[in-house]
C-alpha cells in the first residue's frame, strides 16, 4: 500500500492510497475458492472445476464485494497505523480502477476534538415563568370570539364583497397538475385570505366582481407552490355556485356542546391554558438559546474541517435555492456573496461547535434513550401529519436508520435537562410584555447573523 498525504490539519486528514492489484487478485482467488464447492461447470463434476475456469466465469460477480473488502481492510490498517480517534466514519472515494493495475482511493478523516467538560454547577441559568394578567386572559377570549366566523348563504344576486365566502366548482386541462388541482366541486374560498392552494384567487374574484352563476376563466401562477415554472400561467375554469356573507358570531350552547365545553367558563379556562402552553413553549426555546450561548462562550476547541465544510455547504445550498425561489431573508438580500458567506460560516461554526459539544456531553454523561422514549418521540412526530400517522409509524419500522431524526432532538433535550438540573438557576417571573421584550432580545436576527 502506497500512502500519500494530501492535507493535514489538527482534526482533518486526507490521504491518497494506492493498493497493488495483487491484493485484489488474491482476495478474488480466496472468494472463488469459497464458492467453488457449489459451482456447476459443464464438463466437470460439481465443485471439481479448476480455479482458473471458475474464476473466468465468476470473477466479475465477486469483484465489487472484493474491492470493498480490500478498501475497508486498508482503511482500517491506516487508521490503526496513525492511531486516529475518528469523530465519524471516514469518507472513501474510489478514484481509479483498472484490471491488473493498482487501484487508487481517496480517504478523508475527521478526528475527535479534545474537550474537557467543566463543572455544570458553575453555570448560572435563568428559568422563566409566565404570569398572565387578567387583562391578557380577557383579551385572549375576545380574540378568539373575533376570530370565529359565521356565514349565511345569500339569496340576492349581488356581487361579492371581500368579507364573503364563495363556493365554486373549478377545473383545469393543463397536463401534469396534481389530482387535487385538476378539478374540485363545492370548493370554499374565504375572500379575506389567500388560501395558498390557488394563489391570489381571492383577489382575482374580487377584482372581477363576480356573482352567483358566473362562469369565468382565470390564469393563476402555481410555479412557487408546485416548484415548476411551467405552471406560471395555469388556466382554470370557474363557476360561482353560491355566496355566503359573514354574520356576527354568537357564543351559543350549540357551539359549546359541539366543541366539547359545558360552559363559557370552561372555554375561557381552555383558552388561558392554551396560551400559557404557547408561552411555555416559547420560554423553553429562550432558555435553550441562553444555555447554548453560555456553552458557546464557556468552551473553546478545534473543529474538524470536514464537518465544517459539509455543514456550511448544506447551508449555502439552501441559500442558493432560496435565491432562485426569491425567498431569501430581506437582510441577506442586502449582502454580496462574499459577505453572505462570512455571515453563514460564522453561523455554521457555532452550529458545529455546539453539536459536537452536545454529543460529547451525552457520551460523558451517559445519556441514553429508552424504547419508551423513542416510541413517544415517534408518536409526537407523527402527530405533525394528521391522517398519516399509521404510514409514518410503518416507515420507521421498515427504516430503523431514519430514527436518528427522532433520537437526535430527544437526546439533545435530555442533555439540556441534565445540565439544567446540575446548574444554579435563577427563577424570573414574566408578564406578557416582559416576555415579548425578552423574546425579541433573545432571537434578534441581526445579532445572530452579525
Amino acid at each position: 500500500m502506497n500512502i500519500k498525504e494530501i492535507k493535514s490539519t489538527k482534526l482533518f486528514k486526507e490521504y491518497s492510497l494506492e493498493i497493488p492489484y495483487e491484493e485484489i487478485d488474491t482476495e478474488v482467488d480466496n472468494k472463488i475458492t469459497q464458492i467453488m464447492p457449489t459451482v456447476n461447470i459443464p464438463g466437470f463434476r460439481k465443485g471439481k472445476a479448476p480455479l482458473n475456469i471458475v474464476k473466468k466465469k465468476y470473477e466479475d460477480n465477486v469483484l465489487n464485494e472484493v474491492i470493498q473488502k480490500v478498501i475497508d481492510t486498508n482503511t482500517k490498517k491506516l487508521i490503526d497505523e496513525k492511531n486516529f480517534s475518528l469523530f465519524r466514519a471516514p469518507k472513501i472515494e474510489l478514484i481509479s480502477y483498472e484490471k491488473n493495475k493498482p487501484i487508487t482511493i481517496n480517504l478523508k478523516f475527521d478526528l475527535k476534538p479534545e474537550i474537557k467538560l467543566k463543572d455544570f454547577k458553575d453555570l448560572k441559568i435563568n428559568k422563566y415563568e409566565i404570569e398572565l394578567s387578567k387583562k391578557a386572559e380577557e383579551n385572549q377570549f375576545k380574540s378568539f370570539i373575533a376570530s370565529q366566523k359565521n356565514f349565511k348563504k345569500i339569496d340576492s344576486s349581488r356581487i361579492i364583497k371581500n368579507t364573503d365566502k364563495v363556493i365554486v366548482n373549478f377545473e383545469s386541462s393543463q397536463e401534469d397538475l396534481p389530482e387535487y388541482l385538476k378539478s374540485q366541486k363545492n370548493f370554499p374560498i374565504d375572500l379575506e385570505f389567500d388560501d395558498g392552494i390557488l394563489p391570489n384567487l381571492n383577489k382575482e374574484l374580487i377584482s372581477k366582481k363576480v356573482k352567483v352563476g358566473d362562469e369565468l376563466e382565470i390564469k393563476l401562477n402555481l410555479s412557487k407552490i408546485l416548484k415548476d415554472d411551467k405552471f406560471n400561467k395555469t388556466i382554470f375554469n370557474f363557476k360561482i355556485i353560491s355566496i355566503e356573507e359573514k354574520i356576527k358570531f354568537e357564543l351559543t350552547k350549540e357551539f359549546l356542546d359541539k366543541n366539547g365545553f359545558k360552559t363559557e367558563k370552561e372555554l375561557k379556562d381552555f383558552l388561558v391554558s392554551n396560551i400559557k402552553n404557547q408561552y411555555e413553549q416559547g420560554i423553553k426555546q429562550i432558555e435553550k438559546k441562553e444555555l447554548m450561548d453560555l456553552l458557546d462562550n464557556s468552551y473553546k476547541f478545534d473543529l474538524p474541517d470536514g464537518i465544517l465544510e459539509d455543514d456550511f455547504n448544506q447551508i449555502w445550498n439552501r441559500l442558493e435555492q432560496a435565491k432562485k425561489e426569491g425567498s431569501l431573508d430581506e437582510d441577506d438580500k442586502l449582502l454580496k456573496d462574499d459577505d453572505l458567506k462570512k455571515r453563514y460560516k460564522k453561523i455554521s461554526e457555532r452550529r458545529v461547535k455546539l453539536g459536537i459539544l452536545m454529543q460529547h456531553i451525552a457520551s460523558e454523561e451517559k445519556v441514553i434513550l429508552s424504547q419508551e422514549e423513542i416510541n413517544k418521540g415517534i408518536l409526537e412526530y407523527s402527530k405533525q401529519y394528521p391522517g398519516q400517522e399509521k404510514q409514518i409509524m410503518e416507515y420507521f419500522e421498515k427504516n430503523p436508520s431514519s430514527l436518528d431524526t427522532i433520537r437526535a432532538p430527544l437526546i439533545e433535550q435530555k442533555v439540556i435537562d441534565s445540565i439544567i438540573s446540575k446548574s444554579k438557576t435563577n427563577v424570573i417571573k414574566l408578564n406578557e410584555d416582559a416576555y415579548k421584550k425578552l423574546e425579541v432580545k433573545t432571537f434578534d436576527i441581526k445579532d445572530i447573523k452579525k
Side-chain angles (χ1 to χ4, degrees), residues 258-307:
K258 183 179 177 181
N259 290 278
F261 301 105
K262 293 179 181 177
T263 63
E264 182 177 310
K265 183 178 181 306
E266 264 193 25
L267 172 60
K268 287 181 176 179
D269 290 344
F270 171 79
L271 293 172
V272 170
S273 174
N274 190 45
I275 193 173
K276 278 187 176 179
N277 184 58
Q278 291 177 34
Y279 275 116
E280 285 164 5
Q281 292 302 313
I283 282 171
K284 278 187 178 181
Q285 294 305 312
I286 290 171
E287 290 173 347
K288 177 181 174 180
K289 172 65 168 54
E290 288 187 350
L291 174 59
M292 292 303 176
D293 289 343
L294 281 172
L295 294 174
D296 187 22
N297 294 328
S298 299
Y299 287 88
K300 286 183 171 46
F301 51 86
D302 295 304
L303 302 175
D305 294 359
I307 306 286

Side-chain angles (χ1 to χ4, degrees), residues 84-127:
F84 287 156
S85 178
L86 299 183
F87 179 76
R88 64 176 179 178
K91 286 190 172 181
I92 304 171
E93 182 181 4
L94 180 61
I95 302 300
S96 65
Y97 166 74
E98 287 184 54
K99 196 168 182 179
N100 298 320
K101 289 186 179 181
I103 67 171
T104 304
I105 61 173
N106 180 269
L107 296 171
K108 294 179 180 179
F109 301 102
D110 288 292
L111 309 183
K112 285 182 182 178
E114 293 181 13
I115 304 173
K116 186 177 180 182
L117 289 186
K118 300 178 181 181
D119 195 335
F120 295 131
K121 291 179 181 177
D122 296 330
L123 280 178
K124 295 180 180 177
I125 297 176
N126 290 329
K127 290 286 292 176

Side-chain angles (χ1 to χ4, degrees), residues 115-209:
I115 304 173
K116 186 177 180 182
L117 289 186
K118 300 178 181 181
D119 195 335
F120 295 131
K121 291 179 181 177
D122 296 330
L123 280 178
K124 295 180 180 177
I125 297 176
N126 290 329
K127 290 286 292 176
Y128 299 101
E129 294 178 359
I130 189 74
E131 290 186 331
L132 292 180
S133 64
K134 287 293 181 185
K135 184 178 178 181
E137 294 180 4
E138 290 168 5
N139 286 341
Q140 175 69 0
F141 181 69
K142 288 177 182 177
S143 295
F144 172 79
I145 296 298
S147 71
Q148 299 305 301
K149 289 186 176 183
N150 270 359
F151 290 96
K152 181 182 179 181
K153 185 176 178 180
I154 63 171
D155 296 323
S156 66
S157 59
R158 70 163 173 81
I159 63 173
I160 58 172
K161 299 177 182 177
N162 59 9
T163 55
D164 287 340
K165 181 165 73 174
V166 181
I167 310 300
V168 303
N169 292 345
F170 71 81
E171 62 181 5
S172 174
S173 59
Q174 181 157 336
E175 295 181 359
D176 301 328
L177 272 178
E179 286 298 323
Y180 73 94
L181 288 176
K182 287 182 178 177
S183 69
Q184 287 209 37
K185 301 281 188 184
N186 298 315
F187 185 78
I189 304 161
D190 187 337
L191 295 178
E192 288 189 294
F193 299 99
D194 184 344
D195 66 5
I197 297 173
L198 296 170
N200 290 319
L201 176 59
N202 58 329
K203 294 176 183 176
E204 289 283 341
L205 293 174
I206 292 168
S207 68
K208 294 182 185 301
K209 299 179 179 179

